[in-house]
Amino acid sequence: MPVIRTEQLTKIFRVVRKEPGLRGSLKALVRPRFENIAAVNQVSFEIDAGEIVGYIGVNGAGKSTTIKMLTGILVPTSGSVQVLGRDPHRQRVANAREIGAVFGQRTQLWWDLPFIESLALVGRIYEVPPARYRQLLKDFEDTLGLSELLHIPIRNMSLGQKMRAELAATLIHEPRVVYLDEPTIGLDLLAKERIRDFIREQNRGRGTTVLLTTHDLGDIEQLCPRVIIIDAGRLIYDGPIATIKERFGRHREITFETSEATTAIELPRDCTRLAAEPHRLTLRFDRTRTTASQIAAAVMEQIEVLDFSLAEPDLASIVRQIYQGGLREVEGNPRS
Amino acid sequence: MIHAVRREARVFFAFAAMVPKLYLAYNAWVVVEFVVQILFMLVFVAFWRAVYANTTTLGGLDVGQTINYILLAQIVAPLVQSRLVSEFGGMIREGRIAIELLRPVDFQARYAVESLTSLVVFAVQKLPLVLIAGAFLGLRLPSDPAAWGAFALSLVLGSMVLFLTDWMFACLAFYSTETWGLGVVKIAVATFFGGALVPLQMMPAWLRSIALALPFSQGVAVPISFLAGVTPVSDLGALLIRQLLWLVGLGIASRLVFRQAVRKITVQGG
């Protein structure tokens, strides 16, 4: 049973096009020129209960706009969106009761109040029974380490502390669906780990459905078996992370350290040279057409090799490829 | 039904209970504001005494009534002035509106509750000002409890009339990202037509009829006139009906406006 379903979801913003300078400002005031921008363009997907889905794309791709439509804050220009069987905008309050959202760069807590006050208020707004509230606070303690935060006002918290507080406040009413918009942005590795552990725990322990947008591919690799990639408002991939890795991971890089100069070397078949340093040779090859050992053999025949290493592409470089237009390879394979 | 109402009430009470705490987070301002207000009152009293130097009544009010009225206006007008316009402007500009819309409560009802709570918190905070005005500036308050009752009742209703009026202004923030100017104009209009600077009785007939056709006087002139001895308590019934009509009309209009306006929302960034 899908808990989130979007169909041909589209949001078009009308923006005033302004030329630079005072003259441009005046012109825009007198006779504004409008331009329609499709922030989200006919995006359809379904997310089942208990999934963690990574929603990725470059800045301005339409991730946040989608989330805002899913939470009922923005009204779609066309297409439809359903969350837990409701239209999130029309039934905003009913929807809000069952979802939670963290916008990494904003806070839902009261800036000047100690965290405990904010949290208690959130608990009361969502009508969490007092006993349950205390229980959850205890449950969250291990992963989030709340006790050291309770009496600090939000404005005095570090980024990492703030995000821990934010997550606790978002999950204190045990929402069925949680949207996390860049929850690890700007955090150090340790803090990131903590946040990821917590998300995983909530997903496994309570079956919380999570839609996660992030630029941090570590988040994706560790948390999301499935990703949806969006670019310029359009959905360009929806499927398992493994498929992406496989399709885009066809290329390998092999690097040789040599005692002699590598300039005169004749390249083996089916590979291209990447780095051009005198005592180092980096070759890129398609592993479906040749193998590392064939290449290594060809190189070692010509030159004395001191050392060599083989690198598998990481998700970051794969995603970079996709963003840069390499998507055609997966376009024909949408999730059915 | 009763259960649902009680549940809702508990949620709103949670918001209400927050108001004094938030307010106390800024207690340095309370002192500064206090001093400024006393200065303003001194200036106003001096001004009106000078105006009355050569006359005994103006617009049917004697000097005692006018000074009573003006001092009360100085104390009450800030109580009923909501900050909705700048609040909405800030929320939309900074994108906080997204977070506020995610809270599982009726958006308008929540702000109405917070506004009523601030009215009470501010009223308590203004008590020393009332004492000072009574001891040194010539404020004479009635001893008749009926006058106080009429004042309290019409103040609460009037503050809600102003809240709903402000709500409509504030909704303009959804269409224009610049709300500072809007806020300034609104406060100027509301202060003048609300009767906080000059009693409505002293305005020329045409200006007065404009003031009475606008909602602003419901929150300032109407309630304080009971305390200043300008309006007899016997007028209460008619005035309350008028306030209720304003409430119903503005209540419906403001919800319609908000429903339309919120569709316009463009949360920037993020």
PDB file of all heavy atoms in Angstrom, chain B residues 114-148:
ATOM      1  N   GLU B 114      -3.328  33.444  20.506  1.00  0.00           N
ATOM      2  CA  GLU B 114      -2.104  34.122  20.947  1.00  0.00           C
ATOM      3  C   GLU B 114      -2.342  35.610  21.121  1.00  0.00           C
ATOM      4  O   GLU B 114      -1.828  36.236  22.049  1.00  0.00           O
ATOM      5  CB  GLU B 114      -0.979  33.890  19.933  1.00  0.00           C
ATOM      6  CG  GLU B 114      -0.455  32.471  19.999  1.00  0.00           C
ATOM      7  CD  GLU B 114       0.799  32.235  19.172  1.00  0.00           C
ATOM      8  OE1 GLU B 114       1.201  33.138  18.403  1.00  0.00           O
ATOM      9  OE2 GLU B 114       1.372  31.152  19.287  1.00  0.00           O
ATOM     10  N   SER B 115      -3.158  36.176  20.231  1.00  0.00           N
ATOM     11  CA  SER B 115      -3.442  37.604  20.299  1.00  0.00           C
ATOM     12  C   SER B 115      -4.236  37.950  21.564  1.00  0.00           C
ATOM     13  O   SER B 115      -3.931  38.917  22.263  1.00  0.00           O
ATOM     14  CB  SER B 115      -4.205  38.000  19.032  1.00  0.00           C
ATOM     15  OG  SER B 115      -4.652  39.306  19.124  1.00  0.00           O
ATOM     16  N   LEU B 116      -5.235  37.124  21.888  1.00  0.00           N
ATOM     17  CA  LEU B 116      -6.014  37.360  23.111  1.00  0.00           C
ATOM     18  C   LEU B 116      -5.142  37.204  24.352  1.00  0.00           C
ATOM     19  O   LEU B 116      -5.283  37.962  25.320  1.00  0.00           O
ATOM     20  CB  LEU B 116      -7.173  36.370  23.189  1.00  0.00           C
ATOM     21  CG  LEU B 116      -8.446  36.791  22.456  1.00  0.00           C
ATOM     22  CD1 LEU B 116      -9.492  35.693  22.560  1.00  0.00           C
ATOM     23  CD2 LEU B 116      -8.997  38.092  23.035  1.00  0.00           C
ATOM     24  N   THR B 117      -4.268  36.228  24.324  1.00  0.00           N
ATOM     25  CA  THR B 117      -3.385  36.030  25.468  1.00  0.00           C
ATOM     26  C   THR B 117      -2.451  37.226  25.636  1.00  0.00           C
ATOM     27  O   THR B 117      -2.234  37.682  26.758  1.00  0.00           O
ATOM     28  CB  THR B 117      -2.539  34.751  25.313  1.00  0.00           C
ATOM     29  OG1 THR B 117      -3.362  33.744  24.762  1.00  0.00           O
ATOM     30  CG2 THR B 117      -1.994  34.304  26.633  1.00  0.00           C
ATOM     31  N   SER B 118      -1.924  37.713  24.523  1.00  0.00           N
ATOM     32  CA  SER B 118      -1.045  38.883  24.637  1.00  0.00           C
ATOM     33  C   SER B 118      -1.814  40.054  25.222  1.00  0.00           C
ATOM     34  O   SER B 118      -1.256  40.845  25.982  1.00  0.00           O
ATOM     35  CB  SER B 118      -0.500  39.335  23.293  1.00  0.00           C
ATOM     36  OG  SER B 118      -0.215  38.285  22.485  1.00  0.00           O
ATOM     37  N   LEU B 119      -3.089  40.166  24.863  1.00  0.00           N
ATOM     38  CA  LEU B 119      -3.901  41.257  25.404  1.00  0.00           C
ATOM     39  C   LEU B 119      -3.882  41.212  26.931  1.00  0.00           C
ATOM     40  O   LEU B 119      -3.655  42.231  27.599  1.00  0.00           O
ATOM     41  CB  LEU B 119      -5.337  41.149  24.871  1.00  0.00           C
ATOM     42  CG  LEU B 119      -6.341  42.176  25.383  1.00  0.00           C
ATOM     43  CD1 LEU B 119      -5.994  43.561  24.871  1.00  0.00           C
ATOM     44  CD2 LEU B 119      -7.756  41.809  24.964  1.00  0.00           C
ATOM     45  N   VAL B 120      -4.074  40.012  27.474  1.00  0.00           N
ATOM     46  CA  VAL B 120      -4.095  39.876  28.935  1.00  0.00           C
ATOM     47  C   VAL B 120      -2.707  40.147  29.526  1.00  0.00           C
ATOM     48  O   VAL B 120      -2.560  40.895  30.493  1.00  0.00           O
ATOM     49  CB  VAL B 120      -4.585  38.460  29.335  1.00  0.00           C
ATOM     50  CG1 VAL B 120      -4.518  38.283  30.835  1.00  0.00           C
ATOM     51  CG2 VAL B 120      -5.991  38.237  28.811  1.00  0.00           C
ATOM     52  N   VAL B 121      -1.683  39.556  28.899  1.00  0.00           N
ATOM     53  CA  VAL B 121      -0.326  39.732  29.412  1.00  0.00           C
ATOM     54  C   VAL B 121       0.064  41.213  29.406  1.00  0.00           C
ATOM     55  O   VAL B 121       0.575  41.742  30.393  1.00  0.00           O
ATOM     56  CB  VAL B 121       0.686  38.922  28.569  1.00  0.00           C
ATOM     57  CG1 VAL B 121       2.118  39.233  28.981  1.00  0.00           C
ATOM     58  CG2 VAL B 121       0.417  37.446  28.716  1.00  0.00           C
ATOM     59  N   PHE B 122      -0.226  41.868  28.293  1.00  0.00           N
ATOM     60  CA  PHE B 122       0.117  43.286  28.183  1.00  0.00           C
ATOM     61  C   PHE B 122      -0.688  44.128  29.171  1.00  0.00           C
ATOM     62  O   PHE B 122      -0.171  45.085  29.746  1.00  0.00           O
ATOM     63  CB  PHE B 122      -0.122  43.799  26.763  1.00  0.00           C
ATOM     64  CG  PHE B 122       0.887  43.298  25.773  1.00  0.00           C
ATOM     65  CD1 PHE B 122       0.571  43.208  24.429  1.00  0.00           C
ATOM     66  CD2 PHE B 122       2.152  42.921  26.180  1.00  0.00           C
ATOM     67  CE1 PHE B 122       1.505  42.742  23.506  1.00  0.00           C
ATOM     68  CE2 PHE B 122       3.091  42.452  25.275  1.00  0.00           C
ATOM     69  CZ  PHE B 122       2.759  42.355  23.943  1.00  0.00           C
ATOM     70  N   ALA B 123      -1.968  43.763  29.350  1.00  0.00           N
ATOM     71  CA  ALA B 123      -2.816  44.533  30.261  1.00  0.00           C
ATOM     72  C   ALA B 123      -2.214  44.504  31.665  1.00  0.00           C
ATOM     73  O   ALA B 123      -2.136  45.533  32.342  1.00  0.00           O
ATOM     74  CB  ALA B 123      -4.235  43.979  30.263  1.00  0.00           C
ATOM     75  N   VAL B 124      -1.759  43.330  32.087  1.00  0.00           N
ATOM     76  CA  VAL B 124      -1.145  43.219  33.408  1.00  0.00           C
ATOM     77  C   VAL B 124       0.127  44.059  33.472  1.00  0.00           C
ATOM     78  O   VAL B 124       0.388  44.781  34.429  1.00  0.00           O
ATOM     79  CB  VAL B 124      -0.829  41.736  33.735  1.00  0.00           C
ATOM     80  CG1 VAL B 124      -0.005  41.625  35.000  1.00  0.00           C
ATOM     81  CG2 VAL B 124      -2.111  40.938  33.839  1.00  0.00           C
ATOM     82  N   GLN B 125       0.880  43.981  32.387  1.00  0.00           N
ATOM     83  CA  GLN B 125       2.145  44.698  32.344  1.00  0.00           C
ATOM     84  C   GLN B 125       1.938  46.212  32.373  1.00  0.00           C
ATOM     85  O   GLN B 125       2.818  46.956  32.811  1.00  0.00           O
ATOM     86  CB  GLN B 125       2.896  44.258  31.082  1.00  0.00           C
ATOM     87  CG  GLN B 125       4.276  44.826  30.948  1.00  0.00           C
ATOM     88  CD  GLN B 125       4.424  45.575  29.643  1.00  0.00           C
ATOM     89  OE1 GLN B 125       3.902  45.151  28.607  1.00  0.00           O
ATOM     90  NE2 GLN B 125       5.106  46.692  29.683  1.00  0.00           N
ATOM     91  N   LYS B 126       0.777  46.685  31.914  1.00  0.00           N
ATOM     92  CA  LYS B 126       0.521  48.128  31.865  1.00  0.00           C
ATOM     93  C   LYS B 126      -0.001  48.680  33.190  1.00  0.00           C
ATOM     94  O   LYS B 126      -0.183  49.886  33.329  1.00  0.00           O
ATOM     95  CB  LYS B 126      -0.497  48.461  30.767  1.00  0.00           C
ATOM     96  CG  LYS B 126      -0.075  48.112  29.364  1.00  0.00           C
ATOM     97  CD  LYS B 126       0.951  49.066  28.807  1.00  0.00           C
ATOM     98  CE  LYS B 126       1.286  48.674  27.376  1.00  0.00           C
ATOM     99  NZ  LYS B 126       2.553  49.201  26.926  1.00  0.00           N
ATOM    100  N   LEU B 127      -0.304  47.801  34.147  1.00  0.00           N
ATOM    101  CA  LEU B 127      -0.887  48.280  35.409  1.00  0.00           C
ATOM    102  C   LEU B 127      -0.068  49.380  36.087  1.00  0.00           C
ATOM    103  O   LEU B 127      -0.636  50.392  36.504  1.00  0.00           O
ATOM    104  CB  LEU B 127      -1.127  47.107  36.369  1.00  0.00           C
ATOM    105  CG  LEU B 127      -2.395  46.296  36.068  1.00  0.00           C
ATOM    106  CD1 LEU B 127      -2.528  45.135  37.049  1.00  0.00           C
ATOM    107  CD2 LEU B 127      -3.650  47.175  36.105  1.00  0.00           C
ATOM    108  N   PRO B 128       1.248  49.231  36.188  1.00  0.00           N
ATOM    109  CA  PRO B 128       2.021  50.320  36.819  1.00  0.00           C
ATOM    110  C   PRO B 128       1.836  51.654  36.111  1.00  0.00           C
ATOM    111  O   PRO B 128       1.789  52.712  36.755  1.00  0.00           O
ATOM    112  CB  PRO B 128       3.473  49.854  36.679  1.00  0.00           C
ATOM    113  CG  PRO B 128       3.426  48.424  36.358  1.00  0.00           C
ATOM    114  CD  PRO B 128       2.082  48.113  35.803  1.00  0.00           C
ATOM    115  N   LEU B 129       1.676  51.579  34.802  1.00  0.00           N
ATOM    116  CA  LEU B 129       1.478  52.787  34.010  1.00  0.00           C
ATOM    117  C   LEU B 129       0.165  53.463  34.412  1.00  0.00           C
ATOM    118  O   LEU B 129       0.082  54.698  34.518  1.00  0.00           O
ATOM    119  CB  LEU B 129       1.437  52.394  32.531  1.00  0.00           C
ATOM    120  CG  LEU B 129       2.013  53.363  31.522  1.00  0.00           C
ATOM    121  CD1 LEU B 129       3.432  53.733  31.859  1.00  0.00           C
ATOM    122  CD2 LEU B 129       1.936  52.752  30.129  1.00  0.00           C
ATOM    123  N   VAL B 130      -0.847  52.640  34.627  1.00  0.00           N
ATOM    124  CA  VAL B 130      -2.150  53.174  35.039  1.00  0.00           C
ATOM    125  C   VAL B 130      -2.011  53.870  36.392  1.00  0.00           C
ATOM    126  O   VAL B 130      -2.535  54.979  36.603  1.00  0.00           O
ATOM    127  CB  VAL B 130      -3.198  52.039  35.127  1.00  0.00           C
ATOM    128  CG1 VAL B 130      -4.529  52.567  35.650  1.00  0.00           C
ATOM    129  CG2 VAL B 130      -3.380  51.381  33.769  1.00  0.00           C
ATOM    130  N   LEU B 131      -1.281  53.241  37.310  1.00  0.00           N
ATOM    131  CA  LEU B 131      -1.095  53.825  38.642  1.00  0.00           C
ATOM    132  C   LEU B 131      -0.362  55.164  38.553  1.00  0.00           C
ATOM    133  O   LEU B 131      -0.754  56.154  39.178  1.00  0.00           O
ATOM    134  CB  LEU B 131      -0.320  52.857  39.541  1.00  0.00           C
ATOM    135  CG  LEU B 131      -1.049  51.556  39.863  1.00  0.00           C
ATOM    136  CD1 LEU B 131      -0.186  50.655  40.744  1.00  0.00           C
ATOM    137  CD2 LEU B 131      -2.397  51.837  40.542  1.00  0.00           C
ATOM    138  N   ILE B 132       0.686  55.201  37.746  1.00  0.00           N
ATOM    139  CA  ILE B 132       1.450  56.439  37.588  1.00  0.00           C
ATOM    140  C   ILE B 132       0.574  57.535  36.976  1.00  0.00           C
ATOM    141  O   ILE B 132       0.555  58.682  37.439  1.00  0.00           O
ATOM    142  CB  ILE B 132       2.700  56.193  36.723  1.00  0.00           C
ATOM    143  CG1 ILE B 132       3.695  55.351  37.522  1.00  0.00           C
ATOM    144  CG2 ILE B 132       3.347  57.511  36.298  1.00  0.00           C
ATOM    145  CD1 ILE B 132       4.928  54.951  36.765  1.00  0.00           C
ATOM    146  N   ALA B 133      -0.185  57.148  35.931  1.00  0.00           N
ATOM    147  CA  ALA B 133      -1.062  58.130  35.279  1.00  0.00           C
ATOM    148  C   ALA B 133      -2.098  58.649  36.271  1.00  0.00           C
ATOM    149  O   ALA B 133      -2.464  59.829  36.266  1.00  0.00           O
ATOM    150  CB  ALA B 133      -1.735  57.501  34.070  1.00  0.00           C
ATOM    151  N   GLY B 134      -2.572  57.756  37.145  1.00  0.00           N
ATOM    152  CA  GLY B 134      -3.569  58.163  38.149  1.00  0.00           C
ATOM    153  C   GLY B 134      -2.963  59.085  39.185  1.00  0.00           C
ATOM    154  O   GLY B 134      -3.588  60.074  39.613  1.00  0.00           O
ATOM    155  N   ALA B 135      -1.756  58.808  39.626  1.00  0.00           N
ATOM    156  CA  ALA B 135      -1.143  59.585  40.702  1.00  0.00           C
ATOM    157  C   ALA B 135      -0.599  60.925  40.225  1.00  0.00           C
ATOM    158  O   ALA B 135      -0.699  61.930  40.925  1.00  0.00           O
ATOM    159  CB  ALA B 135      -0.019  58.762  41.337  1.00  0.00           C
ATOM    160  N   PHE B 136      -0.029  60.967  39.015  1.00  0.00           N
ATOM    161  CA  PHE B 136       0.689  62.185  38.615  1.00  0.00           C
ATOM    162  C   PHE B 136       0.127  62.916  37.398  1.00  0.00           C
ATOM    163  O   PHE B 136       0.444  64.071  37.159  1.00  0.00           O
ATOM    164  CB  PHE B 136       2.155  61.848  38.320  1.00  0.00           C
ATOM    165  CG  PHE B 136       2.857  61.217  39.483  1.00  0.00           C
ATOM    166  CD1 PHE B 136       3.181  59.867  39.470  1.00  0.00           C
ATOM    167  CD2 PHE B 136       3.182  61.972  40.610  1.00  0.00           C
ATOM    168  CE1 PHE B 136       3.812  59.268  40.548  1.00  0.00           C
ATOM    169  CE2 PHE B 136       3.816  61.385  41.684  1.00  0.00           C
ATOM    170  CZ  PHE B 136       4.134  60.030  41.664  1.00  0.00           C
ATOM    171  N   LEU B 137      -0.664  62.225  36.568  1.00  0.00           N
ATOM    172  CA  LEU B 137      -1.033  62.863  35.306  1.00  0.00           C
ATOM    173  C   LEU B 137      -2.518  63.228  35.226  1.00  0.00           C
ATOM    174  O   LEU B 137      -2.984  63.706  34.197  1.00  0.00           O
ATOM    175  CB  LEU B 137      -0.660  61.955  34.131  1.00  0.00           C
ATOM    176  CG  LEU B 137       0.841  61.661  34.015  1.00  0.00           C
ATOM    177  CD1 LEU B 137       1.107  60.566  32.989  1.00  0.00           C
ATOM    178  CD2 LEU B 137       1.599  62.921  33.630  1.00  0.00           C
ATOM    179  N   GLY B 138      -3.233  62.960  36.272  1.00  0.00           N
ATOM    180  CA  GLY B 138      -4.636  63.389  36.283  1.00  0.00           C
ATOM    181  C   GLY B 138      -5.604  62.399  35.678  1.00  0.00           C
ATOM    182  O   GLY B 138      -6.696  62.760  35.260  1.00  0.00           O
ATOM    183  N   LEU B 139      -5.201  61.107  35.598  1.00  0.00           N
ATOM    184  CA  LEU B 139      -6.145  60.097  35.113  1.00  0.00           C
ATOM    185  C   LEU B 139      -7.164  59.804  36.213  1.00  0.00           C
ATOM    186  O   LEU B 139      -6.803  59.489  37.339  1.00  0.00           O
ATOM    187  CB  LEU B 139      -5.388  58.817  34.740  1.00  0.00           C
ATOM    188  CG  LEU B 139      -6.243  57.620  34.300  1.00  0.00           C
ATOM    189  CD1 LEU B 139      -6.979  57.912  33.012  1.00  0.00           C
ATOM    190  CD2 LEU B 139      -5.385  56.372  34.144  1.00  0.00           C
ATOM    191  N   ARG B 140      -8.448  59.956  35.902  1.00  0.00           N
ATOM    192  CA  ARG B 140      -9.513  59.651  36.880  1.00  0.00           C
ATOM    193  C   ARG B 140     -10.300  58.458  36.376  1.00  0.00           C
ATOM    194  O   ARG B 140     -10.964  58.554  35.349  1.00  0.00           O
ATOM    195  CB  ARG B 140     -10.456  60.854  37.036  1.00  0.00           C
ATOM    196  CG  ARG B 140      -9.800  62.092  37.598  1.00  0.00           C
ATOM    197  CD  ARG B 140      -9.628  61.996  39.132  1.00  0.00           C
ATOM    198  NE  ARG B 140      -8.680  63.005  39.602  1.00  0.00           N
ATOM    199  CZ  ARG B 140      -7.357  62.820  39.715  1.00  0.00           C
ATOM    200  NH1 ARG B 140      -6.822  61.657  39.412  1.00  0.00           N
ATOM    201  NH2 ARG B 140      -6.561  63.782  40.137  1.00  0.00           N
ATOM    202  N   LEU B 141     -10.241  57.359  37.095  1.00  0.00           N
ATOM    203  CA  LEU B 141     -10.951  56.170  36.649  1.00  0.00           C
ATOM    204  C   LEU B 141     -12.260  56.024  37.416  1.00  0.00           C
ATOM    205  O   LEU B 141     -12.342  56.407  38.586  1.00  0.00           O
ATOM    206  CB  LEU B 141     -10.072  54.936  36.858  1.00  0.00           C
ATOM    207  CG  LEU B 141      -8.853  54.896  35.940  1.00  0.00           C
ATOM    208  CD1 LEU B 141      -7.898  53.791  36.355  1.00  0.00           C
ATOM    209  CD2 LEU B 141      -9.285  54.698  34.498  1.00  0.00           C
ATOM    210  N   PRO B 142     -13.302  55.482  36.768  1.00  0.00           N
ATOM    211  CA  PRO B 142     -14.611  55.366  37.430  1.00  0.00           C
ATOM    212  C   PRO B 142     -14.583  54.285  38.515  1.00  0.00           C
ATOM    213  O   PRO B 142     -13.784  53.339  38.443  1.00  0.00           O
ATOM    214  CB  PRO B 142     -15.530  54.949  36.288  1.00  0.00           C
ATOM    215  CG  PRO B 142     -14.650  54.283  35.292  1.00  0.00           C
ATOM    216  CD  PRO B 142     -13.318  54.955  35.401  1.00  0.00           C
ATOM    217  N   SER B 143     -15.445  54.427  39.508  1.00  0.00           N
ATOM    218  CA  SER B 143     -15.530  53.385  40.527  1.00  0.00           C
ATOM    219  C   SER B 143     -16.675  52.425  40.229  1.00  0.00           C
ATOM    220  O   SER B 143     -16.783  51.372  40.854  1.00  0.00           O
ATOM    221  CB  SER B 143     -15.729  54.032  41.909  1.00  0.00           C
ATOM    222  OG  SER B 143     -16.821  54.918  41.838  1.00  0.00           O
ATOM    223  N   ASP B 144     -17.496  52.790  39.245  1.00  0.00           N
ATOM    224  CA  ASP B 144     -18.646  51.949  38.888  1.00  0.00           C
ATOM    225  C   ASP B 144     -18.180  50.662  38.211  1.00  0.00           C
ATOM    226  O   ASP B 144     -17.590  50.692  37.123  1.00  0.00           O
ATOM    227  CB  ASP B 144     -19.550  52.756  37.943  1.00  0.00           C
ATOM    228  CG  ASP B 144     -20.745  51.934  37.483  1.00  0.00           C
ATOM    229  OD1 ASP B 144     -20.991  50.865  38.093  1.00  0.00           O
ATOM    230  OD2 ASP B 144     -21.412  52.362  36.534  1.00  0.00           O
ATOM    231  N   PRO B 145     -18.439  49.499  38.845  1.00  0.00           N
ATOM    232  CA  PRO B 145     -17.998  48.247  38.221  1.00  0.00           C
ATOM    233  C   PRO B 145     -18.628  48.019  36.836  1.00  0.00           C
ATOM    234  O   PRO B 145     -18.029  47.361  35.984  1.00  0.00           O
ATOM    235  CB  PRO B 145     -18.437  47.162  39.207  1.00  0.00           C
ATOM    236  CG  PRO B 145     -19.311  47.816  40.196  1.00  0.00           C
ATOM    237  CD  PRO B 145     -19.110  49.296  40.130  1.00  0.00           C
ATOM    238  N   ALA B 146     -19.823  48.562  36.617  1.00  0.00           N
ATOM    239  CA  ALA B 146     -20.478  48.374  35.312  1.00  0.00           C
ATOM    240  C   ALA B 146     -19.640  48.991  34.198  1.00  0.00           C
ATOM    241  O   ALA B 146     -19.511  48.428  33.111  1.00  0.00           O
ATOM    242  CB  ALA B 146     -21.873  48.994  35.323  1.00  0.00           C
ATOM    243  N   ALA B 147     -19.038  50.157  34.485  1.00  0.00           N
ATOM    244  CA  ALA B 147     -18.206  50.810  33.468  1.00  0.00           C
ATOM    245  C   ALA B 147     -16.995  49.934  33.140  1.00  0.00           C
ATOM    246  O   ALA B 147     -16.608  49.783  31.981  1.00  0.00           O
ATOM    247  CB  ALA B 147     -17.747  52.176  33.963  1.00  0.00           C
ATOM    248  N   TRP B 148     -16.414  49.336  34.197  1.00  0.00           N
ATOM    249  CA  TRP B 148     -15.267  48.442  33.985  1.00  0.00           C
ATOM    250  C   TRP B 148     -15.674  47.199  33.196  1.00  0.00           C
ATOM    251  O   TRP B 148     -14.946  46.752  32.312  1.00  0.00           O
ATOM    252  CB  TRP B 148     -14.663  48.031  35.336  1.00  0.00           C
ATOM    253  CG  TRP B 148     -13.844  49.122  35.921  1.00  0.00           C
ATOM    254  CD1 TRP B 148     -14.270  50.058  36.831  1.00  0.00           C
ATOM    255  CD2 TRP B 148     -12.475  49.423  35.636  1.00  0.00           C
ATOM    256  NE1 TRP B 148     -13.251  50.926  37.130  1.00  0.00           N
ATOM    257  CE2 TRP B 148     -12.134  50.552  36.408  1.00  0.00           C
ATOM    258  CE3 TRP B 148     -11.518  48.852  34.800  1.00  0.00           C
ATOM    259  CZ2 TRP B 148     -10.866  51.126  36.368  1.00  0.00           C
ATOM    260  CZ3 TRP B 148     -10.257  49.405  34.770  1.00  0.00           C
ATOM    261  CH2 TRP B 148      -9.937  50.538  35.548  1.00  0.00           C
TER     262      TRP B 148
END
